Every structure is written in C-alpha cells, then in structure tokens.
Amino acid sequence: MSVTSHRADALSGTVRAPGDKSISHRSLILGAMAEGTTTVTGLLEGADILSTAVAMQDFGAKVTRQKDGSWTVIGCGEAGFTSPKGDVDCGNAGTGVRLIMGAAAGYKLSATFTGDASLSSRPMGRVLDPLSEMGVSYTAQDGGRLPATFTSDGALSPLDYTPPHASAQVKSAILLAGLNTDGITTVNEPTLSRDHTENMLKAFGAQVTVKPQGEGQKVSVTGPVTLKATTVNVPGDPSSAAFPIIAALTTPGSDIIIENVMMNPTRTGLFETLTEMGAYLRSDNFRTSGGEIIADIHVKYSKLHGVTVPENRAPSMIDEYPILAVAAAYASGTTIMRGIAEMRVKESDRISATVALLEANGVETTEYEDGFAVKGGPVAGGGTVTTHHDHRIAMSALILGLNTAQPVSIDDGAMIATSFPTFFELMNGLGAKIETPEA
Ligand code: S3P
C-alpha cells in the first residue's frame, strides 16, 4: 500500500497518544507468567502487541479483549509456560521475541521462534547467548537469526551479566529468565536503558534491586518467584507522540496538544533535544498512572536550529532518530547525530534508511558508520521512500512530506500498524494531508 503526504496548512487540535509499545508488550508477558488474572487498560492494539498476545496463548496463557476495551490475561502462574504446539510467530516485533525468549527460558519446554523478513534479519544471539549461559540450548540461523529453536530443562542457573551495550531488550530477557532460577540474577548496564521491566516486575511482586554503577546501573532480581497478577494502566507512547510533535514543530502556524504522554526520563531524550533546538514544547498536567509519570504536551510551530546530540543520550531516544532527522531537515544549520550504531540493527538499518529517505527528497546528509549529519533548509520532496518493513521510517517520511515543495511517497504504509494503528486518522484529524491510493 503506497502512501503519499502533501504539503499541509497549520495543524491544530488535541489528541491522545496511543498506548506505549514497550509497556504493552511487558504487560502481556508478565501477565502470562503471573498467577491470577491481570487486567490491562490502554493497551496498544498494534500488530506487534497482537503478535505477543497470540504468543502468550501459544505458551498457555489466556488473553482476552473485554467489551470495555481493556484486556485480561489469565497467567500460567505456578504451572508455568508449556511447549507451544506450533512455531511462535513474533511478526515484526524485536521486543516481543527477545522478551518472550527470556520469559520462556525459565520453564521446561522447547519452542521455535519465527518472524517476518525484517525480524528474521535481526541478531538474536545477544539474548540467546546469555540465556545459553544460564542453561538453555538453542539452534538458530547464521548470526543467531530466526527461525531459532530453544530447549530448556527449566532448571536455569542465575547469571551476572554485563551486556556490551545498553539494551533494555537484553536486560529484560535476562531478568525474566532470572525469575525462575534459584538465586540472584544481575545485569550490569553500561548506560541506563528504559526501566519498564524492573518497574513492572516490582508491581507484579518480584524482588528487584537497582543500584547506580558508573554511568549505568546494576539491576538484580531474586528467584525463584511466581509473579502475582495485577492491573497495568498503559501510558501514552512518547516514541509515537514524536510524530505529531515534530509535524507541529515544522508546519508553520501549528498549535496542538498531545495528551497522556509518558515522561519517564529513560524515554524523553527527544524532548530534551528538541528543546535545545529551540522547540516550543510545554508539558503540564503531570500525574502518575500505573507507576509512570504522564503529562500533556503543548506544541507550537518553532524555528528550529541544528545541534549536536550528546552520544550518551542515545538510549533515551534510540527509536526517535529517524523523526529527529526530519526535524533537522527543517532546522537552520546542521544537526549531528552520532554514537547510534545500534540503529543499524533495528527493524531496518535505520542509519542508511534515514539517509536514503532524506536524500531522495533533496536533503543534504552525511552518513557515518555510527550515525549521520543533516543539513537543514527548505526541502524539495518529490521522492518515493523505501521503508524496508520499518514503521518508523514510513511515518518519518510522511511527516517530512507535510512541508516539502513536492509530495513525498512511501512504497508501503502497512507496517505503520505495528506501533501506531491510528496514525492516519490522528494525523489527518490534526490537518495533515496523508493519502492512500484508495482514499
Ligand atoms: C525496547 C528497547 C529498545 C527499542 C525498542 C523497544 C524495549 O531496543 O529500540 O523499540 O521495549 O525494551 P534495545 O533495548 O535493544 O535498544
């Protein structure tokens, strides 16, 4: 499904950010491990999360959407996960597959994990190798890629692990496996990554300790423990809110409010960077929901200027660089984004995909092995962007097209449903002109 976005007039209105993808995955996975019935409100009903819901059923949990829009998960509890009958298809979801591998590792079972073309090209060794140190045996394709099959005897040993770089997915997988070991499992994070797993584990009754360590932290979980069901209220996703925010910042005359955005400091690096670039971003109505701070964000069109993004900020905005590059394309001067080599192993190689997106539309960029620089100014547009099954590349290109001289097209908008199924409705409701051929 190709999609085209056209130059827009000022955006206006108030919208609610969709549920956070990271917290949605975790709510279903921890709910499936727990004893009792977990209720989840505000779940992101994106394709990635629906893949995780099906996977949790494959392992024996019962996941149901209720009439009021909430979801319930009857967990496996003491009995534990069981071997799925068929392959566990995790679709496009890296977070889904890596966290589910960690969760499943602690039970006596064997499972084969598969995914779409994008997920099948992503490295899984970063999770499978530490899990094998704990006692899991596995086979995978070259470079630890999917399809991968693993077998666990359900008697894992605790692990003290230092990942080579900050990754919440790796940290989470190891902590989840640690729940079913006899002892303390520790992850030594070189820099802080998003902390939703440790926060949610505490809410589900696990004993988690977090101690600062250099620029990072030491996170430990004590096993064995059976999680206890609870209620999870999923806050709005700052990574999704980034798209309407940057649309408003770059479209002259815009004035919008985005409600219910999670303001967890491990996720708000983009807001900090945009503020440094001169953005009008005002957060108010701060409140707490489900253990997370949320706020409403008021955004107005702003004359942005280029900055150098500090490299140590990357973990708190790792998914936001493609859309930040769009803001940079309209800023005065050059924006330098480096120290982000991890982007090469996301849903696509996001360094080369972002550079190609901008260059196809006349923006001057420089690609480095670990990032890119973007020179701002008026943007010609007129390009067709290859999205490589990557939702964030697709949405970034469409937001770029709101202010280009010529429309911007993408080859395929279908993947947007993985993280932001209401993207078209929400953006066009604010005044964007994003069209599919059938529309
Ligand atoms: C996520 C962690 C990040 C991020 C991904 C979601 C999570 O990946 O890119 O979209 O929910 O834990 P890494 O932890 O591998 O950097």
Side-chain angles (χ1 to χ4, degrees), residues 6 20 35 42 107 122 124 150 155 158 163 188 191 198 201-202 243 288-289 294 300 325 337 376 397 408 410 439:
H6 300 266
D20 186 70
E35 187 76 49
Y107 304 105
R122 299 179 66 185
M124 295 299 144
F150 79 46
N188 305 290
T191 23
E198 42 274 45
L201 277 174
K202 289 182 197 160
F243 296 99
T288 306
S289 173
I294 52 176
K300 288 190 199 181
M337 295 161 265
V408 171
I410 58 172

Side-chain angles (χ1 to χ4, degrees), residues 22-242:
S22 294
I23 295 194
S24 294
H25 278 300
R26 288 161 172 78
S27 67
L28 297 179
I29 297 169
L30 271 62
M33 296 176 85
E35 187 76 49
T37 303
T38 290
T39 301
V40 186
T41 64
L43 186 85
L44 170 69
E45 294 182 354
D48 274 13
I49 306 303
L50 301 179
S51 299
T52 289
V54 172
M56 291 302 88
Q57 305 226 94
D58 293 343
F59 282 104
K62 189 159 190 290
V63 185
T64 314
R65 186 181 199 276
Q66 304 296 327
K67 285 203 189 82
D68 65 358
S70 67
W71 288 70
T72 52
V73 186
I74 303 178
C76 300
E78 288 284 345
F81 283 15
T82 48
S83 296
K85 292 207 174 63
D87 293 352
V88 180
D89 181 358
C90 293
N92 189 251
T95 306
V97 72
R98 294 192 177 117
L99 269 61
I100 294 168
M101 282 175 171
Y107 304 105
K108 185 174 177 350
L109 53 78
S110 126
T112 297
F113 295 89
T114 60
D116 71 4
S118 153
L119 191 59
S120 303
S121 70
R122 299 179 66 185
M124 295 299 144
R126 52 178 60 195
V127 164
L128 288 166
D129 291 339
L131 291 179
S132 73
E133 283 187 52
M134 297 175 86
V136 166
S137 47
Y138 77 89
T139 56
Q141 309 312 301
D142 276 356
R145 288 176 165 73
L146 300 182
T149 299
F150 79 46
T151 304
S152 171
D153 61 5
L156 301 187
S157 314
L159 182 67
D160 188 317
Y161 187 67
T162 304
H165 55 261
S167 163
Q169 295 180 356
V170 173
K171 167 177 66 178
S172 303
I174 296 167
L175 294 176
L176 294 180
L179 296 173
N180 287 313
T181 63
D182 195 0
I184 298 176
T185 290
T186 298
V187 179
N188 305 290
E189 285 201 289
T191 23
L192 233 59
S193 68
R194 63 193 71 192
D195 58 5
H196 310 308
T197 300
E198 42 274 45
N199 294 344
M200 205 184 284
L201 277 174
K202 289 182 197 160
F204 276 82
Q207 195 192 323
V208 180
T209 58
V210 180
K211 290 193 190 126
Q213 186 169 253
E215 273 198 34
Q217 61 179 11
K218 184 182 172 94
V219 190
S220 304
V221 69
T222 305
V225 57
T226 302
L227 301 180
K228 288 188 189 60
T230 186
T231 297
V232 181
N233 301 311
V234 180
D237 196 328
S239 303
S240 297

